[in-house]
């Protein structure tokens, strides 16, 4: 399998050779480096907040999650090692981002999405990275990510795409019912107070999904994975409200075996 983490691109995107300054970027910082940091973190799905050049709690936790998943020191500081890894894993269209900011437009900078669909005009609304257990209340109080027009049940186009990536990365060899069940687990977690309340928050929660840890989240999903996501969003839940699942052949966690099991679909056991 070939990972596509470093090859995702926007239509008409330019990845500038010069990236960041030499400074260590940390919470409380403002300016060009923070804009690039937020843009690159959003490109790979870790940051779904407002790209505004202000290093607040949302940027901090997005950066820590990126560091966790890429085996970097988890300190919430964008030092040289973290910046180098981020540059390799993402792209940054500086001209596009600065133009949207200067024009006060509502925009995003997600990888694999056409630029023309990421600028919506008007004043830029805030997004918000999901609250995790133990995170400061400032993060939890941020507004939710704006949603695209004609998306079902309030889910954005990026939400649906990211869920399809997760389903494909986690369950592409499973029967269709099992793929829908995996998508349903993501939705069940969003609805639970024990988990983050956004799609990206659930999927990128540290240690939550194997596909994120091994990079398979960035494989291109097929139509079946996308259909499975839509069926789950429309209300089909083959998992019967499960919040966890695991493969009994490959599972290494003793804890997961203690969870009340609901049913088995394909190779996955679904549980709570």
């Amino acid at each position: 399998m070939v990972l596509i983490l470093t090859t995702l691109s926007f239509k008409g995107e330019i990845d500038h050779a010069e990236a960041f300054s030499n400074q260590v970027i940390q919470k409380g910082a403002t300016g060009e480096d923070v804009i690039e940091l937020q843009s690159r973190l959003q490109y790979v799905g870790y940051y779904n907040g407002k790209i505004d050049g202000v290093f607040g709690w949302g940027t901090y936790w997005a950066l820590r999650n990126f560091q966790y998943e890429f085996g970097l020191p988890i300190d919430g500081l964008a030092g040289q090692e973290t910046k180098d890894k981020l540059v390799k894993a993402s792209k940054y269209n500086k001209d596009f981002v600065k133009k949207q900011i200067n024009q006060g437009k509502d925009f995003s900078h997600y990888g694999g999405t056409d630029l023309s669909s990421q600028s919506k005009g008007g004043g830029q609304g805030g997004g918000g990275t999901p609250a995790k257990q133990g995170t400061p209340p400032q993060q939890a109080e941020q507004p939710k990510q704006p949603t695209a027009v004609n998306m079902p049940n309030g889910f954005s186009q990026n939400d649906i795409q990211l869920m399809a990536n997760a389903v494909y990365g986690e369950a592409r060899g499973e029967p269709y019912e099992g793929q829908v069940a995996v998508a349903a687990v993501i939705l069940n977690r969003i609805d639970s107070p024990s988990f983050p309340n956004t799609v990206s928050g659930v999927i990128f929660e540290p240690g939550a999904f194997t596909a994120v840890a091994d990079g398979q989240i960035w494989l291109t999903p097929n139509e079946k994975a996308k259909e499975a996501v839509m069926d789950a969003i429309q209300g089909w839940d083959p998992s019967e409200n499960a919040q966890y699942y695991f493969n009994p052949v490959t599972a290494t966690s003793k804890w997961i075996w203690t969870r009340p099991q609901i049913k088995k679909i394909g190779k996955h056991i679904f549980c709570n």
Side-chain angles (χ1 to χ4, degrees):
M1 296 182 182
V2 180
L3 304 185
I4 63 169
L5 178 60
T6 59
T7 60
L8 285 171
S9 63
F10 297 141
K11 180 180 178 182
E13 180 178 23
I14 301 172
D15 189 31
H16 294 262
E18 296 183 5
F20 297 112
S21 69
N22 293 326
Q23 72 170 335
V24 174
I25 317 169
Q26 57 188 313
K27 189 176 179 299
T30 59
E32 299 286 340
D33 272 351
V34 181
I35 290 174
E36 180 172 352
L37 176 65
Q38 292 171 331
S39 298
R40 288 185 179 277
L41 286 170
Q42 189 165 104
Y43 185 92
V44 288
Y46 286 85
Y47 179 68
N48 66 350
K50 179 180 178 181
I51 299 174
D52 57 5
V54 179
F55 196 141
W57 285 115
T59 307
Y60 174 80
W61 286 105
L63 180 59
R64 283 177 62 94
N65 288 343
F66 175 83
Q67 290 173 326
Y68 173 88
E69 297 296 349
F70 281 78
L72 298 163
I74 308 170
D75 55 13
L77 302 174
Q80 195 59 51
E81 184 180 8
T82 293
K83 288 187 288 187
D84 288 345
K85 183 72 72 172
L86 191 54
V87 168
K88 291 180 180 179
S90 66
K91 292 183 180 293
Y92 173 49
N93 190 315
K94 180 178 179 180
D95 293 339
F96 169 79
V97 170
K98 294 304 294 292
K99 180 179 179 181
Q100 308 314 307
I101 292 175
N102 290 337
Q103 294 180 352
K105 290 186 175 181
D106 181 5
F107 74 99
S108 59
H109 190 265
Y110 291 105
T113 304
D114 195 306
L115 288 176
S116 63
S117 67
Q118 300 205 62
S119 177
K120 301 177 176 63
Q124 178 169 334
T129 52
K132 297 183 183 299
Q133 294 182 6
T135 62
Q138 293 96 322
Q139 185 185 8
E141 293 171 0
Q142 295 179 8
K144 292 184 179 180
Q145 174 183 346
T147 56
V149 178
N150 297 326
M151 289 295 106
N153 299 334
F155 290 94
S156 71
Q157 184 177 1
N158 184 70
D159 289 335
I160 294 171
Q161 179 65 41
L162 187 55
M163 286 183 66
N165 277 39
V167 169
Y168 188 74
E170 291 276 317
R172 61 185 175 277
E174 294 297 297
Y176 184 69
E177 180 184 6
Q179 294 186 40
V180 177
V182 168
V185 166
I186 296 172
L187 297 178
N188 293 340
R189 290 189 178 188
I190 292 172
D191 290 338
S192 169
S194 300
F195 296 91
N197 61 1
T198 63
V199 170
S200 60
V202 165
I203 291 175
F204 290 110
E205 187 171 28
F209 292 94
T210 302
V212 173
D214 63 18
Q216 294 190 65
I217 186 72
W218 300 116
L219 294 174
T220 303
N222 57 18
E223 288 302 315
K224 180 179 288 187
K226 296 176 184 177
E227 292 170 4
V229 169
M230 296 306 295
D231 275 341
I233 288 176
Q234 297 298 336
W236 184 20
D237 184 359
S239 79
E240 298 180 12
N241 297 315
Q243 294 182 353
Y244 302 94
Y245 61 88
F246 66 99
N247 185 331
V249 176
T250 60
T252 58
S253 168
K254 294 181 179 179
W255 174 85
I256 195 65
W257 285 98
T258 68
R259 308 306 302 174
Q261 296 183 11
I262 299 172
K263 64 191 299 186
K264 184 176 182 181
I265 305 175
K267 296 179 180 179
H268 286 144
I269 293 177
F270 291 83
C271 52
N272 273 320

